[in-house]
Amino acid sequence: MVNSLELKVLTQEEIGTIRDKCLEFLSTKGVKVEHPEVLKTLAREGAQVSFDDQTVRFPKDIIETTLRYTPKSFSLWGRRNYSEYYEMAIPHPDGLFYTATNTGAVTYHDIDSNTFRDVTVADTAEWAQLMEVSEGIDICAFPTIGDVPGEVADIYALKTYFENTAKHVWIQPHSAESMGYLIELSIAVAGSKENLKKRPIVSACSNSVTPLQFVPMEMNTLLQCARHGVPLYLCGLPSTGATSPITIAGTVLLSAIENLAQVVMSQLIEPGTPVFCGHHRLTLDMATGRSLLTSVEAILGEMASAHFIEEAFQIPTFAWGYGTDSHIPDEQSMIDGTLIGQLVALAGTDVLEGAGGLDACLTINPVQLIIDNILAGIFKRIKAGVKVNDDTLAWEEIWDTAPGNNFLERPHTLKHCREALRSDLFVRDPRAIWVAEGGKDMYIRALDKYKELKKGLRPQQLPEDVQKEMNQILKQAEEHLV
Amino acid sequence: MASYEELQESVITGQKDKVEGIANSLLDGGIKPREIIPKGLLPGMSVVGQRFKTGEMFIPEVIASAAAMNRGLEILKPLIVGNELSDMSAGKVVIGTVQGDVHNIGKSLVGMMMESGGFTVMDIGIDVPADKFVEAVEEEKPNILGLSALLTTTIPLMKDVIEALKRSNLRDKVHVMVGGAPITQEFADSIGADAYAADAVSAVDKAKQLMS
């Protein structure tokens, strides 16, 4: 791995203190796990389980042993068409990160009417096609579709994604009952159980109910994904002052305890299960009661947690790296998105999620996705840092050119002149030309780009038998769940 | 003898022990409990509600005020006889989080603000199945049923509760209010709810509108 830029948020002593407290808590106080099968497995593997109150304590030696064999690296897979796979090595081989879109949004900000409405299947299909052509988007998380029965909304979403993008998909299951169908759909597209395990084209999120409760649906997700080799985003929902302590450090500690419990459980259930650690971190605005995604404190917490997990457990991380508390793409969304992404990336996060999201991830907007796609490039370029070697130091260029003269005609300039990041959404022209071209602001330029891209969007061409199988799985799900 | 103003101020500043002391002092002075509640406790909470609405007070401060008011109610309510207590109530509210959703904080905050607004609130908890809501409406006969959900995956279950009320012929006997981060007015309309509130303070306003 090359040296990319990194921000050290915590000192080694602070990291050591938090780590010790995590182990102390899990070995003495424990967590609540509401899943009989998982409780039995954990008890068999050496955890101290109280079946009466569903409390699980993890002895320190089991935690340390488990941490040693938890994968420090693994791969997610995407496809360029149905059968051509590509690998996304975690951690990123260049010390960078991957970008995922917003997960779970219930609202679609309709560009044409400037109204907020439920997300439809048609929106979801277009959203997937838009991600397919957005080079900065690596992982596609789906919204909550509102124009199909709620019991099968996640199954519709995954099927719609497979029909419209070949990129890696982030699954957010809606119920214990639907998880099996989501796995079936993934196997149908992967070709077999073995293929899915070997080259996971999907990953899934398993949440805690913060603080430190693990409910049946989420444990079912963990169980099924671990068995099928589907990488897991181990996640919670701390909201400072509400579901977690009001201080940033306290929330980082609670998040770390939750993550460690989830890691140990995943590895005791199925050793070697690939996992990310992270949280959907929020801060509760004490004046309004609204949970905020991009408050300064939420961002600092994301940074500190990512740094802690990387240093203390060496497990890959994910965090919100895009998104805003603003309800529309505006000046605030630009500031929020730039701050959170830049800082969370520099803190060493492996997957930055939330692209295209507004309103603390409850709303998606295609123009915001266009903007976040550009931001992804900027964050990556900055994260890559400054390369210093004989070629980049340009010693001979300086020696041969200066004093006086200029570097425009140098072969070295010609060689490197296309390396600078140059977004077509940013104004580079002199004012006279900008005015002549309509004097458009950033939002309008992004809107134009969206309209242009829209003309070329198209679905994936899936083999007929795969499409048939997916249709059949959805039909069965509707018959059983609705 | 202490004054109503002091009692109001103690509620506003969230001083439980002081509320207890003043309430006892007023009782010792011969003031009737049915006068102390509407003249001392509720006006104090009304100020709290207003200050929360304008951003002057924060949620933990409101919670402290509500706890202070409740300390006063614990002393005064048992001393009120007959129908006087129910006559003082702005209405009865049953509130709970729908099945599959274990989020408690927002729902509790709404319940607390409703109590502060003079409503009698029965909180039936989290992860509540539709039939339990129906049971509570049958037994408690509330004016308002409050349904809460935080998860995008559980909000559809609010509709199940409304359908269950219809099946039990109870729908026209109770106002249904819905709330939670992913809920919108459009969603509330689509499932046939009577009101949607975006936050705890507006929930009280909406509840009062429903009762008027």
Side-chain angles (χ1 to χ4, degrees):
Chain A
M1 191 184 293
V2 298
N3 289 325
S4 60
L5 289 186
E6 292 243 341
L7 280 175
K8 302 290 180 193
V9 189
L10 304 168
T11 65
Q12 284 305 315
E13 191 184 348
E14 289 164 346
I15 288 166
T17 301
I18 296 170
R19 194 183 193 283
D20 290 346
K21 287 188 185 301
C22 287
L23 270 71
E24 185 66 24
F25 192 97
L26 289 178
S27 58
T28 53
K29 182 84 190 277
V31 298
K32 190 173 183 188
V33 179
E34 300 169 12
H35 196 291
E37 188 183 346
V38 171
L39 286 174
K40 275 184 204 163
T41 304
L42 297 178
R44 194 180 62 230
E45 297 299 326
Q48 294 164 3
V49 176
S50 166
F51 287 92
D52 292 339
D53 61 5
Q54 300 173 310
T55 299
V56 181
R57 295 176 185 83
F58 301 96
K60 287 183 182 178
D61 60 327
I62 287 186
I63 297 174
E64 294 289 10
T65 306
T66 306
L67 279 172
R68 276 197 288 280
Y69 63 71
T70 304
K72 308 299 181 289
S73 61
F74 51 89
S75 293
L76 306 180
W77 293 80
R79 293 161 297 128
R80 287 200 177 79
N81 51 51
Y82 175 69
S83 57
E84 190 188 338
Y85 283 76
Y86 63 88
E87 185 176 11
M88 295 187 284
I90 310 287
H92 195 291
D94 298 327
L96 304 178
F97 58 87
Y98 297 96
T99 289
T101 48
N102 191 89
T103 180
V106 284
T107 303
Y108 188 82
H109 183 207
D110 194 301
I111 304 298
D112 298 327
S113 61
N114 194 26
T115 54
F116 299 92
R117 57 168 174 76
D118 285 351
V119 184
T120 65
V121 173
D123 297 331
T124 306
E126 187 199 281
W127 187 252
Q129 291 174 22
L130 198 56
M131 290 186 290
E132 183 68 18
V133 298
S134 301
E135 70 283 357
I137 304 300
D138 307 297
I139 300 166
C140 306
F142 51 72
T144 303
I145 299 177
D147 64 343
V148 296
E151 297 89 340
V152 289
D154 50 352
I155 302 167
Y156 265 95
L158 183 59
K159 178 172 173 287
T160 305
Y161 265 29
F162 282 145
E163 288 164 348
N164 291 285
T165 179
K167 288 187 177 179
H168 185 88
V169 178
W170 168 315
I171 291 176
Q172 184 83 49
H174 291 189
S175 69
E177 293 74 24
S178 64
M179 190 62 215
Y181 294 102
L182 297 170
I183 294 280
E184 275 187 48
L185 279 176
S186 305
I187 291 170
V189 175
S192 67
K193 275 185 190 179
E194 293 70 30
N195 282 356
L196 182 64
K197 199 163 192 168
K198 190 177 162 196
R199 292 184 298 202
I201 54 171
V202 295
S203 41
C205 195
S206 174
N207 288 283
S208 61
V209 175
T210 306
L212 298 164
Q213 292 182 81
F214 299 94
V215 297
M217 174 197 146
E218 303 294 350
M219 294 316 294
N220 180 59
T221 301
L222 191 144
L223 206 57
Q224 293 213 42
C225 288
R227 284 172 180 162
H228 287 91
V230 171
L232 280 158
Y233 304 95
L234 302 175
C235 187
L237 199 69
S239 184
T240 56
T243 59
S244 71
I246 194 158
T247 51
I248 299 170
T251 298
V252 170
L253 173 58
L254 177 64
S255 303
I257 295 169
E258 284 196 332
N259 272 159
L260 186 55
Q262 290 167 308
V263 167
V264 174
M265 286 192 283
S266 69
Q267 302 307 311
L268 292 181
I269 289 167
E270 191 66 47
T273 297
V275 294
F276 293 92
C277 285
H279 275 85
H280 289 143
R281 187 183 311 272
L282 301 159
T283 57
L284 192 76
D285 182 67
M286 289 297 166
T288 63
R290 186 180 173 217
S291 291
L292 305 176
L293 187 150
T294 40
S295 67
V296 171
E297 291 76 16
I299 295 172
L300 277 168
E302 293 275 31
M303 295 169 69
S305 283
H307 183 207
F308 171 76
I309 296 289
E310 187 189 2
E311 292 277 338
F313 306 142
Q314 296 86 48
I315 294 171
T317 55
F318 72 98
W320 269 323
Y322 303 87
T324 174
D325 296 318
S326 178
H327 301 288
I328 54 169
D330 64 357
E331 290 81 354
Q332 183 188 337
S333 71
M334 304 291 180
I335 294 170
D336 282 349
T338 308
L339 267 180
I340 193 169
Q342 193 62 86
L343 291 171
V344 168
L346 290 177
T349 308
D350 294 286
V351 173
L352 268 60
E353 62 158 319
L358 300 167
D359 186 12
C361 92
L362 290 172
T363 300
I364 51 173
N365 174 308
V367 177
Q368 188 61 48
L369 186 64
I370 301 287
I371 294 168
D372 288 343
N373 182 50
I374 298 298
L375 279 177
I378 296 172
F379 299 156
K380 278 183 182 163
R381 180 63 193 89
I382 291 177
K383 176 91 175 121
V386 179
K387 272 187 198 165
V388 178
N389 55 39
D390 286 348
D391 180 49
T392 61
L393 280 174
W395 171 255
E396 286 176 11
E397 298 299 311
I398 299 166
W399 189 272
D400 292 347
T401 306
N405 298 315
N406 64 64
F407 294 86
L408 259 180
E409 294 176 26
R410 299 292 306 180
H412 186 259
T413 304
L414 180 64
K415 178 182 164 191
H416 292 288
C417 73
R418 288 193 165 270
E419 289 173 5
L421 186 72
R422 194 173 187 283
S423 162
D424 54 359
L425 281 191
F426 282 71
V427 172
R428 306 290 186 200
D429 295 317
R431 190 174 68 229
I433 295 174
W434 174 72
V435 170
E437 290 180 350
K440 295 171 181 173
D441 66 14
M442 175 88 173
Y443 177 80
I444 300 297
R445 293 193 296 275
L447 180 63
D448 286 348
K449 182 161 185 181
Y450 163 59
K451 287 176 178 171
E452 192 55 38
L453 281 173
K454 212 173 160 179
K455 291 176 196 164
L457 296 179
R458 54 185 54 86
Q460 296 293 303
Q461 295 295 318
L462 292 170
E464 208 172 303
D465 58 329
V466 173
Q467 184 66 57
K468 204 173 158 186
E469 195 177 348
M470 289 205 304
N471 294 345
Q472 188 60 30
I473 291 166
L474 177 63
K475 194 178 164 206
Q476 283 173 0
E478 289 190 304
E479 284 169 5
H480 290 122
L481 302 183
V482 179
Chain B
M1 188 176 73
S3 68
Y4 288 134
E5 288 73 24
E6 282 176 273
L7 184 56
Q8 289 169 20
E9 193 54 31
S10 301
V11 169
I12 294 166
T13 51
Q15 298 182 76
K16 283 192 285 192
D17 293 343
K18 212 167 168 187
V19 166
E20 184 177 340
I22 294 171
N24 282 326
S25 162
L26 289 169
L27 285 173
D28 292 345
I31 310 284
K32 289 183 177 170
R34 63 180 156 80
E35 286 182 24
I36 300 174
I37 294 175
K39 289 183 180 171
L41 296 179
L42 293 181
M45 268 323 279
S46 176
V47 171
V48 170
Q50 283 305 314
R51 290 187 182 172
F52 180 56
K53 206 172 186 176
T54 55
E56 290 170 78
M57 283 185 79
F58 285 5
I59 294 168
E61 295 162 344
V62 174
I63 291 171
S65 293
M69 182 187 76
N70 283 332
R71 176 72 67 85
L73 289 175
E74 283 165 19
I75 295 163
L76 299 169
K77 272 185 175 177
L79 305 176
I80 296 174
V81 290
N83 292 330
E84 285 181 345
L85 197 60
S86 55
D87 291 347
M88 286 164 56
S89 175
K92 192 170 189 180
V93 179
V94 166
I95 191 167
T97 305
V98 298
Q99 190 167 23
D101 203 322
V102 294
H103 292 90
N104 194 34
I105 294 169
K107 180 257 303 165
S108 299
L109 186 63
V110 170
M112 203 168 57
M113 293 305 291
M114 290 276 202
E115 275 186 341
S116 308
F119 287 91
T120 305
V121 176
M122 171 171 265
D123 186 338
I124 58 170
I126 55 174
D127 193 15
V128 181
D131 58 348
K132 291 285 174 199
F133 278 110
V134 171
E135 208 176 292
V137 170
E138 270 174 343
E139 286 174 11
E140 299 298 328
K141 299 184 174 43
N143 305 97
I144 296 170
L145 177 64
L147 305 177
S148 171
L150 178 70
L151 300 175
T152 56
T153 52
T154 54
I155 58 174
L157 293 161
M158 289 181 164
K159 191 179 179 185
D160 293 356
V161 177
I162 291 177
E163 294 302 320
L165 287 172
K166 283 180 187 167
R167 283 196 299 276
S168 305
N169 297 319
L170 290 169
R171 180 64 190 91
D172 57 349
K173 293 183 172 56
V174 66
H175 298 297
V176 177
M177 287 184 67
V178 295
I183 311 289
T184 61
Q185 182 64 56
E186 291 73 26
F187 173 77
D189 293 341
S190 74
I191 63 168
D194 299 306
Y196 153 73
D199 60 29
V201 172
S202 63
V204 181
D205 294 341
K206 293 278 176 79
K208 285 183 175 169
Q209 283 169 23
L210 288 173
M211 295 300 294
S212 61

